[in-house]
């Protein structure tokens, strides 16, 4: 039907742009930019929000990835997170083989997908399983962490200088190859350095060299950055000394790897986090202890300041969120959204994640959101556990430029159903908006008891009297604010549709009494543009 292009609300046009990523030396490369209150990931000159799909750990080979393309399309993803294994690209020291990676990148391009590859180097889930054989067998050159009893465990020591150099050399070789193979296409938009780093099995390395360092002073650059008085690790950090000590050496190690790569090819880098500590732990019935319930020294939320002080070559610390409590989920989003850290949910999935996509985009200005393990199950479509997240991706993806433009302003808000939250008021400039969830089910089955939350809506103010609604299972009503000269809002146009190449396309004009009881967004999802007047 009708095609409109529209101007965004004037306020969002005035951006102060400051480039915060070192990756911006070449402005054509993907990089991070601070624009007003938010930081965007810029790809090909425009803000890019990652709707990602992470494949399972063993899928990072071209023949297996080929089989997953239909799943990623069914997910509605625009980006793939896939592992690159150190053991695969450097089977013998100094001998590199990127042929399979090239096939994957060509496949991504054919699918119109971008990528955030995951460097499975020295650290993978607090262990060392993906390092090459020549690293595994040389335990003298590449020392393991020794636990409290002096036994070597399945983790390489963050104090191992040779390990750090070998990992850095491999990562730099990888980035050099990417520079040659991808610098004009920008298929790879960010690199994750290591995976859920830290030590599982010990709070620190108990080797004599490590113990000597622990009994020495905390490096001045760390005490200065954290505004602490000088002293030994115990004096400065008390009961947290060993975890902070591990965090300092681990983050410095990973920073060295990232730096070596960025020197060659400066695109953004990130690290992901196995959550733990201070109300973010996945395992709520266990004592929450570094090295035990979560990897010691990793960038858990109470370690972010330390990581930011030491790991300057890491741009984004992104949480892996599997928790099913909305309180914990929100706590994690809050802690990882900072002026120096845009929110990138690097892994999540199932359960409550589909509704947190909406919060992440509107309330936390997320630059990315990625469910893990999307390759599972038979057939070309994602399995049932991902259908709700896929529905969200597919609905919102055409509107991502609008969402990115309005992030960080008061013109983008989310209304999300939670247990016992059956409606939500949103307050915009000139309009109060009531979003009621689950309208059809609630009316049809009043005695059926509680229903699973499914209502989730993004509301974007496009102009003084114009809104975009995108979401599921809700009815949306408008009123002038209390105390204004008007008492009622009247619909001028209610148009269902979507964006195509940034242009609004109306597919269905909802006229007459169609919007009595609010603008309905069906359980299957709808995007609607509403033009109003007040009287
Ligand atoms: C978190 C890790 O980062 C992933 O690589 C994967 O192992 C998942 N856990 C499995 O749930």
């Amino acid at each position: 039907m009708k095609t409109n292009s529209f101007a965004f609300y004037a306020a969002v046009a005035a951006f102060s742009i400051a480039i915060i990523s070192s990756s911006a030396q070449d402005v054509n490369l993907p990089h991070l930019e601070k624009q007003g209150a938010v930081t965007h990931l810029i790809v090909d000159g425009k803000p890019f929000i990652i709707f990602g799909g992470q494949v399972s750990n063993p899928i990072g080979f071209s023949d297996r990835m080929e089989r997953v393309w239909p799943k990623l399309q069914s997910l509605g993803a625009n980006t793939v997170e896939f592992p690159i294994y150190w053991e695969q690209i450097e089977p013998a020291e100094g001998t590199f083989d990127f042929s399979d990676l090239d096939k994957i990148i060509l496949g991504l391009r054919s699918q119109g997908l971008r990528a955030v590859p995951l460097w499975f180097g020295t650290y993978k889930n607090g262990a060392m399983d993906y390092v090459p054989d020549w690293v595994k067998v040389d335990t003298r050159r590449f020392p393991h962490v020794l636990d409290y009893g002096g036994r070597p465990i399945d983790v390489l020591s963050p104090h191992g200088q040779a390990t750090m150099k070998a990992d850095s050399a491999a990562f730099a070789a990888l980035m050099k190859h990417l520079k040659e193979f991808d610098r004009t296409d920008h298929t790879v938009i960010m690199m994750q350095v290591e995976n859920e780093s830290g030590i599982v099995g010990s709070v620190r390395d108990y080797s004599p060299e490590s113990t000597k360092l622990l009994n020495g002073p905390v490096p001045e650059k760390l005490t200065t950055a954290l505004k602490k008085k000088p002293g030994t690790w115990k004096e400065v950090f008390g009961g947290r000394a060993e975890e902070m000590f591990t965090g300092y050496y681990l983050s410095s190690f990973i920073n060295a790897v990232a730096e070596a790569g960025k020197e060659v090819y400066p695109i953004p880098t990130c690290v992901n986090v196995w959550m733990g500590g201070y109300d973010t732990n996945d395992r709520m019935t266990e004592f929450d202890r570094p090295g035990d319930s979560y990897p010691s020294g990793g960038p858990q939320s109470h370690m972010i300041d330390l990581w930011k002080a030491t790991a300057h070559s890491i741009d984004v610390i992104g949480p892996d969120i599997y928790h099913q409590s909305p309180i914990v989920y929100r706590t994690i989003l809050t802690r990882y959204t900072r002026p120096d850290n845009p929110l990138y949910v690097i892994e999540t999935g199932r359960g409550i994640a589909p509704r947190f996509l909406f919060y992440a985009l509107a309330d936390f200005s997320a630059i990315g959101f990625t469910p893990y393990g999307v390759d599972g199950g038979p057939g070309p479509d994602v399995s049932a556990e991902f259908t709700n997240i896929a529905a969200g991706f597919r609905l919102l993806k055409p509107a991502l430029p609008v969402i990115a433009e309005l992030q960080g302003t008061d013109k983008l808000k989310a209304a999300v159903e939670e247990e016992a939250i059956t409606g939500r008021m949103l307050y915009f400039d000139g309009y109060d908006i009531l979003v009621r969830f689950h309208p059809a089910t609630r009316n049809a089955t009043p005695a059926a008891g509680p229903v699973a939350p499914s209502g989730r809506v993004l509301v974007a103010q496009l102009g003084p009297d114009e809104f975009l609604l995108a979401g599921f299972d809700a009815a949306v009503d408008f009123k002038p604010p209390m105390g204004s000269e008007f008492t009622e809002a009247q619909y001028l146009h209610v148009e269902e549709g979507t964006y195509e190449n940034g242009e609004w396309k109306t597919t269905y004009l909802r006229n007459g009494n169609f919007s009595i009881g609010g603008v309905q967004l069906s359980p299957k999802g709808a995007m609607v543009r509403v033009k109003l007047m007040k009287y």
Side-chain angles (χ1 to χ4, degrees):
M1 283 172 81
K2 211 162 48 152
T3 302
N4 293 329
S5 69
F6 57 86
F8 297 126
Y9 210 10
V12 296
F15 287 141
S16 65
I17 297 181
I19 294 168
I20 65 160
S21 166
S22 60
S23 62
Q25 290 148 354
D26 174 351
V27 287
N28 289 321
L29 290 183
H31 61 274
L32 295 169
E33 260 182 40
K34 206 161 177 61
Q35 300 187 342
V38 300
T39 299
H40 286 304
L41 170 62
I42 305 292
V43 177
D44 292 340
K46 295 189 201 119
F48 185 89
I49 296 177
I50 295 168
F51 274 4
Q54 185 172 143
V55 297
S56 307
N57 292 161
I59 304 294
F61 298 95
S62 60
D63 56 339
R64 293 181 203 171
M65 292 287 285
E66 287 288 328
R67 283 179 248 149
V68 178
W69 299 143
K71 299 259 187 205
L72 289 154
Q73 297 299 352
S74 124
L75 180 67
N78 57 22
T79 304
V80 186
E81 296 173 356
F82 68 96
I84 298 177
Y85 317 106
W86 184 6
E87 63 182 337
Q88 191 203 11
I89 64 149
E90 195 181 9
E93 189 168 7
T95 304
F96 292 95
D97 179 358
F98 297 110
S99 52
D100 202 56
L101 173 62
D102 292 351
K103 285 189 201 153
I104 294 175
I105 293 178
L106 292 175
L108 287 161
R109 287 182 195 155
S110 75
Q111 297 294 313
L113 292 165
R114 310 274 181 169
V116 180
L118 319 170
W119 173 236
F120 281 15
T122 303
Y123 295 98
K124 165 69 176 79
N125 294 29
M128 55 173 279
D129 299 322
Y130 292 86
V131 302
D133 293 2
W134 54 270
V135 174
K136 284 184 185 143
V137 296
D138 197 344
T139 55
R140 286 176 74 86
R141 188 173 158 211
F142 305 112
H144 287 224
V145 167
L146 302 186
D147 71 8
Y148 186 70
R151 287 176 300 263
I153 60 173
D154 181 33
V155 192
L156 290 168
S157 173
H159 308 292
Q161 293 298 303
T163 317
M164 188 173 82
K165 282 197 186 120
D167 192 332
S168 301
F171 189 67
L174 167 61
M175 294 299 264
K176 178 169 178 288
H177 181 74
L178 281 179
K179 180 180 177 177
E180 284 155 10
F181 197 73
D182 196 46
R183 75 169 291 157
T184 51
D185 290 85
H186 311 146
T187 312
V188 172
I189 54 175
M190 196 185 304
M191 285 295 293
Q192 181 184 293
V193 189
E194 316 293 339
N195 190 88
E196 291 194 347
S197 65
I199 302 174
V200 169
S202 183
V203 66
R204 70 171 174 97
D205 182 0
Y206 284 87
S207 66
E209 303 76 38
S210 165
T211 303
K212 201 169 153 204
L213 285 172
L214 180 76
N215 292 331
V218 177
E220 199 186 325
K221 75 167 189 181
L222 186 60
T223 47
T224 307
L226 298 183
K227 298 189 173 59
K228 299 272 188 192
K229 290 203 185 100
T232 65
W233 289 89
K234 271 265 176 308
E235 285 164 354
V236 176
F237 296 112
R240 285 276 164 193
E242 293 182 305
E243 183 182 19
M244 294 295 275
F245 171 77
T246 301
Y248 175 75
Y249 284 98
L250 178 73
S251 57
S252 302
F253 181 119
I254 293 174
N255 187 60
V257 175
E259 198 170 80
K262 275 188 159 182
E263 266 168 24
V264 184
Y265 189 47
I267 59 171
T269 53
C270 61
V271 291
N272 65 333
V273 192
W274 174 333
M275 298 312 307
Y278 300 99
D279 301 327
T280 68
N281 48 320
D282 285 330
R283 306 174 189 171
M284 297 185 104
T285 53
E286 290 175 24
F287 279 98
D288 196 29
R289 294 284 187 266
D292 189 357
S293 60
Y294 64 92
S296 181
Q300 287 76 29
S301 63
H302 56 287
M303 304 290 282
I304 298 176
D305 287 341
L306 176 145
W307 273 72
K308 289 287 175 189
T310 51
H312 296 290
S313 290
I314 298 295
D315 298 298
V316 182
I317 302 177
D320 294 351
I321 317 178
Y322 291 94
H323 216 289
Q324 289 301 308
S325 151
I327 297 169
V328 176
Y329 208 116
R330 203 173 175 90
T331 299
I332 296 170
L333 296 190
T334 305
R335 298 216 184 133
Y336 285 86
T337 307
R338 309 174 13 145
D340 59 359
N341 197 68
L343 178 70
Y344 176 16
V345 179
I346 296 184
E347 289 180 34
T348 190
R350 2 203 132 108
I352 64 172
R355 56 179 126 143
F356 271 86
L357 169 68
F358 285 67
Y359 288 131
L361 291 170
D363 298 355
F364 298 92
S365 302
I367 62 166
F369 196 89
T370 304
Y372 169 84
V374 299
D375 49 283
D381 293 332
V382 282
S383 55
E385 67 199 284
F386 296 111
T387 49
N388 284 341
I389 216 157
F393 278 3
R394 295 166 77 93
L395 179 71
L396 299 178
K397 196 162 66 167
L400 280 178
V402 179
I403 292 168
E405 203 78 51
L406 296 179
Q407 278 181 327
T409 74
D410 58 2
K411 305 196 182 312
L412 180 70
K413 297 181 199 289
V416 177
E417 183 178 8
E418 303 282 0
E419 283 77 5
I421 305 285
T422 52
R424 176 92 196 269
M425 284 294 306
L426 299 175
Y427 300 93
F428 283 86
D429 184 15
Y431 287 91
D432 292 354
I433 296 182
L434 172 63
V435 182
R436 278 171 292 195
F437 303 118
H438 245 336
T441 319
R442 236 171 261 298
N443 295 341
T445 55
V451 286
S454 59
R456 50 202 197 279
V457 181
L458 278 189
V459 181
Q461 187 164 22
L462 306 176
D465 300 292
E466 193 167 4
F467 291 86
L468 178 73
L469 314 175
F472 300 84
D473 219 353
V476 186
D477 263 323
F478 298 80
K479 266 198 193 297
M482 278 193 301
S484 83
E485 56 184 306
F486 306 109
T487 55
E488 299 301 330
Q490 162 102 46
Y491 299 114
L492 292 178
H493 281 289
V494 179
E495 298 171 12
E496 193 166 331
T498 189
Y499 289 92
E500 280 176 23
N501 303 319
E503 299 277 308
W504 175 258
K505 299 265 185 216
T506 302
T507 52
Y508 180 43
L509 183 63
R510 295 185 179 185
N511 58 352
N513 58 4
F514 192 90
S515 292
I516 290 175
V519 178
Q520 307 285 320
L521 303 173
S522 79
K524 290 202 163 136
M527 183 136 59
V528 178
R529 268 180 56 173
V530 181
K531 185 113 173 95
L532 300 139
M533 58 160 280
K534 292 179 267 197
Y535 62 90

